[in-house]
Amino acid sequence: MLPKIDKRKIVCGWVLCCSLFVIAQENYPQETFQSPMDIPLILAGTFGELRSNHFHAGIDIKTQQRQGLPIYAIGDGSVTRIKIAHWGYGKVLYVAHPNGYTSVYGHLQKFAPEIEAYIKKVQYQKRSYQVEVFPDLGEVTVKKGQVIAYSGNTGGSSGPHLHFEIRSSISEKPTNPLLYGFEVRDATNPVLEEVYAYPLSKNARVNQSTDKVELNFKRQKDGTFLADKVSALGTIGFGFKGFDRQDLAANKNGIYSVQLSVNGKIYTDYDFETFSFAESRYINTLIDYEHFGAYRQRIQQCFKTPGNRLGIYNTLYNDGKINIQEGMSYSVTLLLRDLGGNETKIIIPVEGKNEPVKIEKEEEKTDEYLVAKKNNNYDLGAATVYFPANTFYKDFYIDLKKGTDTITIHNSRVPAHRNFTLTFDVSKYSKEERKQLFIARLDKDLDANYASTYKRGNTFTTRTRNLGTYTLAKDTIPPTIRPKNFKEKQWLNNYSYLSLRISDDLSGVKSYSATLNGDWILMEYEPKTRTLTYNFDDKILDKTQCELQVTVSDNVGNTTIYKSTFYRK
């Protein structure tokens, strides 16, 4: 397991050279690894950044809006994992190094020739584009500075970049790559956008409100911020919305370190040096999820809420909650830091006052009160829903709407930590009708989105973490297949690849396959552009007249077969 940094043992060496900050720390090698790219490291995303249901496990390195830039092994090592998937990291490579670390390179366009040949052999053996292999230690070795891949935009990437991680080879915990001496220019302070105060105990109030209150603040001459005086009583907490920004990039990245102190005493101190993948989903307890569900904005809470099992805290006094007494004055300081030594500070004066409440927090009450630590099962007419114990982080009034075909399970302002089970009764439909039916979640525009549907007898079941409205939808239309860069009976001597567009507008594409002159060929699928691509280098053609057949099926079994003839010498 990687050691936690002892802050007293940090080699305090913030060195400014051409606006370049490097943090030297005893616990992480500083000169062992080289950069994974030979261009300046400009970040589109930082380690620990708040993402949907998880913390970002690496850094995202900009690739100048291009694909195909060389990616280098940061040190000698052995490839221990290669994975190719439609989503997630796309094409990703894992390299274990002798010093106990593993480097990870994601969203790749392709691998270096030797590794590409290795994985394509596996793909042809399994007849699948999506594969995952774990080569034996020493089977596929690389040297420091060797080109191992080329940058791309595969998987869940929203634009060309390299996702880069460094993990412990033993615990597999990721650590912040910027702790290893990689040079990223950063002379920019974190940005504080909004600050909130939360009444947390039964009779607590802030500025005469029992609901959270946004605070006004102004910049002072010394660069710090000062909030308007807060009147409060009872147990309260604070939260903020903000981001960090490195030099040469406009991206709103994550903040490395957060510290909250009261009258000089540290109540909350956490940073993103490392975290465990097992706890990443608890991000939903770090942020104000109700606010996120309503406005898609992430407020980081500087206090610990029920269900929060995060291990990122260095200091946590009274769960970061402040007990405000009448007649007492408090000076609350919120300090945001990045790894370049830049910081942003706000001081919040708080006065303990017993003032009458003018704004009451509205609590939505329903007929059903869900106790999170218990199993919960509900009959919704057309369907039943089962929540295992600890599906949710806390107890709440759950809003359920029954229906004959469509049911609603609460709303998006409550996060589910575990999968729950939704089961529809389909006994009123014939066996033929059931073949084209599936469980769908309706979005805000009431468009049906396929939910993985398990069919057994008179029931359809899906397991999900998404609350919302569900229905039974019918898909009778098969997928479409259209050629993109060639035509029927065309000569393709100067072509290096074939490209087709496949799509299914309802239940979605489930599977695809292709043959050339009767032999299976590897088609690379890019779901973001709905494109299938075949590279002619993969297989030697021994016929001038080539017969291509592509088969695509959707999630309910509708199938389309496309056939075409082309010529090539």
Side-chain angles (χ1 to χ4, degrees):
M1 180 178 293
L2 287 173
K4 186 72 174 176
I5 289 181
D6 182 343
K7 308 299 182 184
R8 296 167 296 181
K9 293 182 180 179
I10 295 177
V11 179
C12 297
W14 278 291
V15 181
L16 175 60
C17 178
C18 298
S19 300
L20 175 65
F21 284 92
V22 177
I23 298 180
Q25 297 180 231
E26 289 181 351
N27 288 329
Y28 297 96
Q30 297 299 298
E31 298 179 358
T32 302
F33 295 133
Q34 74 159 65
S35 174
M37 302 195 73
D38 57 7
I39 58 175
L41 300 187
I42 301 173
L43 304 188
T46 51
F47 182 85
E49 198 165 271
L50 310 183
R51 300 289 177 88
S52 179
N53 297 310
H54 70 283
F55 297 110
H56 191 225
I59 57 175
D60 288 340
I61 301 172
K62 289 175 173 283
T63 56
Q64 302 172 343
Q65 300 181 342
R66 294 187 292 164
Q67 299 188 51
L69 300 182
I71 305 299
Y72 302 95
I74 62 171
D76 293 352
S78 179
V79 175
T80 54
R81 184 181 180 190
I82 310 170
K83 185 176 181 179
I84 298 178
H86 295 148
W87 298 107
Y89 290 171
K91 295 184 179 182
V92 57
L93 194 65
Y94 298 73
V95 178
H97 305 284
N99 58 358
Y101 297 101
T102 293
S103 54
V104 183
Y105 314 79
H107 304 308
L108 303 171
Q109 180 191 60
K110 60 182 178 180
F111 305 106
E114 301 85 357
I115 302 173
E116 188 79 8
Y118 179 94
I119 196 64
K120 281 195 174 180
K121 183 178 180 181
V122 174
Q123 289 175 309
Y124 271 92
Q125 286 174 345
K126 296 187 175 182
R127 294 194 169 192
S128 175
Y129 170 67
Q130 295 193 103
V131 293
E132 183 175 17
V133 294
F134 299 87
D136 293 334
L137 200 64
E139 184 180 357
V140 182
T141 60
V142 297
K143 291 292 185 181
K144 181 178 181 178
Q146 176 183 335
V147 175
I148 55 175
Y150 297 88
S151 66
N153 187 33
T154 56
S157 172
S158 58
H161 72 276
L162 172 67
H163 174 86
F164 174 66
E165 299 179 17
I166 297 181
R167 303 180 181 181
S168 163
S169 297
I170 298 174
S171 70
E172 295 190 355
K173 288 181 68 175
T175 49
N176 196 319
L178 298 186
L179 295 168
Y180 295 80
F182 296 113
E183 299 181 349
V184 176
R185 292 180 56 178
D186 188 357
T188 306
N189 293 335
V191 176
L192 181 65
E193 296 178 289
E194 298 170 4
V195 178
Y196 293 85
Y198 289 78
L200 299 176
S201 58
K202 183 177 180 181
N203 296 313
R205 75 284 311 264
V206 174
N207 291 347
Q208 299 181 280
S209 172
T210 61
D211 200 355
K212 77 171 182 285
V213 174
E214 184 176 356
L215 307 181
N216 297 318
F217 57 91
K218 294 181 180 179
R219 185 185 294 273
Q220 305 300 294
K221 290 183 179 179
D222 63 357
T224 63
F225 293 95
L226 178 65
D228 292 349
K229 184 176 287 188
V230 174
S231 66
L233 194 68
T235 303
I236 69 170
F238 289 91
F240 73 94
K241 187 162 78 78
F243 61 89
D244 192 27
R245 182 171 278 158
Q246 280 71 39
D247 298 357
L248 307 177
N251 300 76
K252 295 181 178 181
N253 298 330
I255 293 170
Y256 175 72
S257 168
V258 176
Q259 185 183 95
L260 182 83
S261 59
V262 183
N263 295 338
K265 180 180 179 64
I266 297 175
Y267 271 53
T268 304
D269 179 58
Y270 65 86
D271 62 41
F272 289 102
E273 173 196 337
T274 184
F275 62 84
S276 167
F277 284 112
E279 69 183 28
S280 190
R281 195 171 179 87
Y282 287 103
I283 184 177
N284 294 329
T285 63
L286 178 69
I287 66 172
D288 181 342
Y289 200 93
E290 183 178 359
H291 186 93
F292 174 73
Y295 305 106
R296 312 311 292 177
Q297 298 173 345
R298 294 181 176 92
I299 299 172
Q300 293 189 52
Q301 298 172 147
C302 300
F303 52 92
K304 197 172 184 180
T305 59
N308 183 336
R309 298 183 183 179
L310 290 170
I312 60 175
Y313 298 97
N314 301 308
T315 301
L316 195 61
Y317 174 76
N318 197 36
D319 282 343
K321 299 172 183 177
I322 310 164
N323 297 318
I324 305 298
Q325 299 180 19
E326 186 177 1
M328 300 290 289
S329 296
Y330 306 82
S331 178
V332 178
T333 301
L334 176 62
L335 187 63
L336 312 178
R337 293 192 182 103
D338 64 22
L339 271 170
N342 309 295
E343 63 181 39
T344 296
K345 182 187 344 183
I346 181 171
I347 297 173
I348 308 167
V350 180
E351 195 75 24
K353 289 185 178 181
N354 188 3
E355 297 179 324
V357 173
K358 292 184 178 180
I359 302 173
E360 290 277 3
K361 182 178 181 179
E362 296 183 6
E363 185 177 12
E364 297 179 2
K365 293 187 176 181
T366 67
D367 294 335
E368 299 289 350
Y369 188 73
L370 184 145
V371 178
K373 291 184 178 180
K374 295 183 178 180
N375 296 332
N376 293 273
N377 200 8
Y378 300 98
D379 184 352
L380 302 179
T384 59
V385 60
Y386 170 67
F387 300 109
N390 300 311
T391 297
F392 301 101
Y393 302 106
K394 62 181 181 179
D395 305 343
F396 66 101
Y397 286 97
I398 187 167
D399 186 18
L400 301 169
K401 292 183 174 61
K402 297 183 177 182
T404 55
D405 285 305
T406 302
I407 55 96
T408 297
I409 309 170
H410 208 70
N411 56 55
S412 61
R413 296 194 295 276
V414 173
H417 186 76
R418 300 175 60 186
N419 282 322
F420 59 89
T421 302
L422 177 62
T423 302
F424 275 84
D425 181 354
V426 295
S427 58
K428 67 181 181 181
Y429 298 98
S430 68
K431 291 185 178 180
E432 284 303 311
E433 286 179 299
R434 293 177 201 174
K435 292 179 181 179
Q436 296 177 319
L437 289 175
F438 63 94
I439 299 175
R441 184 171 182 265
L442 301 182
D443 61 22
K444 62 181 180 179
D445 298 320
L446 300 182
D447 291 330
N449 296 280
Y450 177 81
S452 296
T453 304
Y454 303 92
K455 301 180 179 183
R456 185 175 181 179
N458 293 332
T459 61
F460 285 5
T461 300
T462 187
R463 300 186 73 243
T464 180
R465 290 189 181 107
N466 297 316
L467 302 180
T469 300
Y470 287 84
T471 190
L472 289 175
K474 189 175 186 179
D475 186 358
T476 62
I477 303 174
T480 61
I481 306 174
R482 295 186 179 90
K484 286 185 66 176
N485 71 335
F486 67 98
K487 296 179 182 179
E488 176 71 11
K489 296 186 178 180
Q490 184 177 350
W491 281 90
L492 304 179
N493 290 341
N494 297 323
Y495 282 56
S496 59
Y497 66 92
L498 286 177
S499 181
L500 302 99
R501 188 178 189 275
I502 65 173
S503 64
D504 187 86
D505 293 333
L506 192 50
S507 64
V509 172
K510 180 181 181 180
S511 64
Y512 55 88
S513 64
T515 61
L516 194 58
N517 296 332
D519 292 331
W520 186 89
I521 57 173
L522 175 66
M523 300 290 282
E524 297 201 5
Y525 181 42
E526 175 48 74
K528 296 193 294 289
T529 58
R530 301 179 177 183
T531 301
L532 281 178
T533 302
Y534 166 68
N535 292 304
F536 283 121
D537 289 343
D538 285 358
K539 195 174 183 69
I540 299 174
L541 301 175
D542 56 1
K543 295 181 180 179
T544 300
Q545 181 172 315
C546 303
E547 304 296 336
L548 174 69
Q549 179 172 307
V550 179
T551 304
V552 180
S553 298
D554 64 20
N555 278 292
V556 297
N558 298 310
T559 299
T560 298
I561 298 176
Y562 171 85
K563 295 181 180 181
S564 180
T565 300
F566 64 87
Y567 303 97
R568 181 178 168 87
K569 288 185 179 180

